[in-house]
């Protein structure tokens, strides 16, 4: 095993695993959006805003998927390649905000 392979165990698979994780997250937001839409009759128009927020996050993930994959694939063999933390932080914030808003709608 040469030095390059010892530093990066699976240079071709990591970007695919990352892409699959983002795809699962996209589908989770679509599912949550469908649940919000289903609540529309019970909880009023505010749920439509939650639906829109969940769909917006899902669309943003889908729109940036190719760029994220390309960045990760190019950064794999480079020692200076750093992961971008911003998208993960933004996604986490969106998930927490949508979850809290959904909980508030149910409890109020």
């Amino acid at each position: 095993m040469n030095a390059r392979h010892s530093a990066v165990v699976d240079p071709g698979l990591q970007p695919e695993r990352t892409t699959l994780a983002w795809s699962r997250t996209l589908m989770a937001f679509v599912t949550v959006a469908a649940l919000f839409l289903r609540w529309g009759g019970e909880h009023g128009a505010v749920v439509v805003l939650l639906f829109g927020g969940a769909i917006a996050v899902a669309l943003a993930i889908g729109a940036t998927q190719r760029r994220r994959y390309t960045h990760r694939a190019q950064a794999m063999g480079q020692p200076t390649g750093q992961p971008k933390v911003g998208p993960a932080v933004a996604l986490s914030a969106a998930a927490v905000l949508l979850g809290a808003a959904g909980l508030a709608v149910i409890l109020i």
Side-chain angles (χ1 to χ4, degrees):
M1 185 180 287
N2 63 28
R4 178 182 167 139
H5 286 114
S6 65
V8 178
V9 177
D10 59 351
L13 297 178
Q14 182 59 47
E16 281 79 8
R17 285 195 301 263
T18 302
T19 299
L20 287 172
W22 280 99
S23 297
R24 286 189 301 269
T25 305
L26 182 147
M27 290 307 299
F29 272 92
V30 169
T31 302
V32 167
L35 288 172
F36 283 148
L37 193 58
R38 185 171 180 202
W39 289 352
E42 280 181 48
H43 299 287
V46 71
V47 177
V48 175
L49 293 174
L50 296 176
F51 167 79
I55 288 295
V57 171
L59 287 173
I61 291 171
T64 58
Q65 191 77 299
R66 172 61 111 182
R67 184 173 32 136
R68 215 177 0 262
Y69 175 81
T70 303
H71 175 265
R72 290 301 307 145
Q74 291 173 348
M76 284 303 295
Q78 301 173 3
T80 59
Q82 295 293 319
K84 292 187 177 180
V85 210
V89 170
L91 179 68
S92 298
V96 168
L97 289 173
L98 283 170
L103 187 59
V105 166
I106 290 173
L107 294 176
I108 293 177

